[in-house]
Structures are given as C-alpha cells and as structure tokens.
Amino acid sequence: KPLKKLIKVKQAKINPIIDGLANEDIWNTSEWLPINQLWLGDLYTPEDFQGRYKLAWTSDALYVLAEIKDDILIDNEKDPLKTWWNDDCLEIFIDEDNSGGEHQYNHNAFAYHIALDGNVVDMSTEKKGKLYNSHINSKRITTGNTSIWEVKISLFDDSYKDDTKNKTVKLTANKNIGFALAYCDNDKSQNRENFIGSVAVDGDDKNRGWIDANIFGTLLLSKD
C-alpha cells in the first residue's frame, strides 16, 4: 500500500514513566503533531476541542503523549463494554506490520478505545467488545479543560489470538507501523458528537479506522 503521511518517531533512551507528567527528555525533544481531521459529526470550535500528540518508542513499546483540550468530559456509561464509543475517549489505531487491510473482527490491526477510567476496549474475534487492558498502560491528568494522556502500547502481530497468552513484538529501528489517533468528543449527548482524527481520510465515510487499516498513517521508527 502507498505510505501515507510518514512520521519519523524518535527512540527514547529510557522508558517514559506513565504518570501523565510528560517530564522525560524525549517529550521535550519530539514534535507536536495535530489531531485536527473531522471524521464524524459537526464542525467544532477551538473552545470545544483542540488536540495534538507526540510519539516515542523503545524496544518494549510505542509511547503516545496526547494533549486534549475539551471543555466537558463525559463518561455516561459505567460498563466499559457498553457503547464505549459514545463517551469521551482517546482511540489509538495500531497495525504492527503496516500491512493495511480489513480488521473489523480480527487482529490484523487494533483499534484501542481508552476510556476516561483507563479501560481499553476493542472488538474481539467474537464480534463484540473486549477489554485489552494488558496491551495499554495509560495515565490521564486533567487540569481545567486540558487533559494530558501518557500512553504505553505493547504491540502484537497478526497471529494474536484472544484468550491465549501472546508474545509482544520487540521494536527495532527502521520498522514501519500503521498508526492513527483519534478522539471521541461528547459534551452533553447520549451519542458522541464529534470524532476527530490525526490522518486525512478520503471519501464521505471517514469513520473507517475501526474496520480498515488502509486509512492509517505510517510511523518510521528512527534511532535519532
């Protein structure tokens, strides 16, 4: 598949501590990237939503630092496996081997919804939501209307099977990973109001990341 929006990701010398504080050197030296593509919903104002993120990697994991400015945080549904996409959440799309393709009910790629309470949900091979909390360690610190999410993501290849023990993939320089990031924003509704992503998606239906890994951007893991 053509490489879309290649992003170079710097290697962290030490593993960032997942505390939501972003005080490691790697976060000071890596650049902010925008979350500014409207995938679903109405146009939003800067007061309602602004988002940006940074990336880093070590041999163990991919790291994301997201800064989300959102005036109202909503978590209507306490059961993490019910309508998880309608609450405010950070969604991270990962295609470990950057192969693209369909992944709706398989693990060719993952679409991790990270809820405000830290629960991580994606679709299982049984076509229903499942917790994947062991894949992601995250911490959110919200001050006023600004949330900092610090996230550590363990990567798995497409041989991943639900309900067995799976080995994580060790990351190395020059590896390509399919990646996108999005935010579900809900202020006052039963359903999410906006879905804002990090990559431009062609066509009218932009809410395809949870089905189609071809829309993801591409990360290039770099030594420097």
Side-chain angles (χ1 to χ4, degrees), residues 39 91-95 110-112 178-182 195 209-210 216:
W39 286 356
E91 188 166 355
I92 296 178
F93 300 87
I94 298 282
D95 180 8
F110 288 90
Y112 296 116
F179 177 85
L181 183 65
F195 191 33
W210 67 290
F216 300 179

Side-chain angles (χ1 to χ4, degrees), residues 53 55 62 64 92-94 177-181 199 216-219:
Y53 70 103
L55 295 161
L62 183 68
V64 176
I92 296 178
F93 300 87
I94 298 282
I177 299 168
F179 177 85
L181 183 65
V199 293
F216 300 179
T218 300
L219 305 185

Side-chain angles (χ1 to χ4, degrees), residues 126-146:
E126 294 179 353
K127 303 188 178 181
K128 58 187 184 189
K130 180 178 169 67
L131 290 175
Y132 291 93
N133 290 358
S134 63
H135 295 206
I136 285 187
N137 178 16
S138 73
K139 174 74 176 174
R140 171 179 58 89
I141 292 185
T142 300
T143 312
N145 71 346
T146 302

Side-chain angles (χ1 to χ4, degrees), residues 7-224:
I7 295 170
K8 269 179 79 168
V9 183
K10 290 183 177 181
Q11 184 176 16
K13 301 288 182 276
I14 52 167
N15 290 11
I17 296 163
I18 303 303
D19 53 11
L21 295 178
N23 47 9
E24 288 83 7
D25 284 347
I26 189 70
W27 297 135
N28 294 326
T29 57
S30 47
E31 63 175 329
W32 286 110
L33 300 160
I35 307 170
N36 61 0
Q37 300 292 320
L38 184 63
W39 286 356
L40 200 65
D42 300 323
L43 286 173
Y44 55 91
T45 64
E47 292 72 43
D48 184 30
F49 172 85
Q50 292 178 61
R52 57 184 188 163
Y53 70 103
K54 293 183 173 192
L55 295 161
W57 70 278
T58 64
S59 63
D60 295 338
L62 183 68
Y63 293 84
V64 176
L65 181 76
E67 180 191 80
I68 304 294
K69 295 188 177 180
D70 182 11
D71 52 353
I72 302 172
L73 293 177
I74 291 281
D75 190 5
N76 288 322
E77 180 54 72
K78 293 302 173 229
D79 181 341
L81 295 179
K82 280 190 184 158
T83 61
W84 57 88
W85 55 86
N86 283 333
D87 289 327
D88 278 313
C89 67
L90 191 69
E91 188 166 355
I92 296 178
F93 300 87
I94 298 282
D95 180 8
E96 177 272 331
D97 60 358
N98 199 40
S99 60
E102 189 269 327
H103 71 98
Q104 185 169 7
Y105 301 122
N106 64 66
H107 298 312
N108 172 43
F110 288 90
Y112 296 116
H113 300 70
I114 309 175
L116 295 178
D117 63 7
N119 276 307
V120 178
V121 184
D122 188 16
M123 283 290 183
S124 73
T125 50
E126 294 179 353
K127 303 188 178 181
K128 58 187 184 189
K130 180 178 169 67
L131 290 175
Y132 291 93
N133 290 358
S134 63
H135 295 206
I136 285 187
N137 178 16
S138 73
K139 174 74 176 174
R140 171 179 58 89
I141 292 185
T142 300
T143 312
N145 71 346
T146 302
S147 295
I148 298 291
W149 302 67
E150 196 168 17
V151 185
K152 176 185 180 181
I153 308 151
S154 299
L155 267 61
F156 295 90
D157 66 25
D158 51 19
S159 69
Y160 187 92
K161 296 221 174 359
D162 287 327
D163 305 319
T164 67
K165 200 157 171 51
N166 296 273
K167 280 184 73 164
T168 60
V169 173
K170 288 283 178 210
L171 303 186
T172 53
N174 300 316
K175 179 178 176 62
N176 282 146
I177 299 168
F179 177 85
L181 183 65
Y183 190 75
C184 296
D185 185 21
N186 189 0
D187 291 338
K188 301 185 256 315
S189 312
Q190 285 305 304
N191 302 314
R192 67 177 163 191
E193 294 167 12
N194 312 98
F195 191 33
I196 302 132
S198 64
V199 293
V201 180
D202 297 332
D204 291 334
D205 178 13
K206 301 187 187 304
N207 180 25
R208 300 206 312 277
W210 67 290
I211 297 172
D212 179 8
N214 290 329
I215 69 127
F216 300 179
T218 300
L219 305 185
L220 171 62
L221 303 188
S222 165
K223 269 220 172 304
D224 47 14

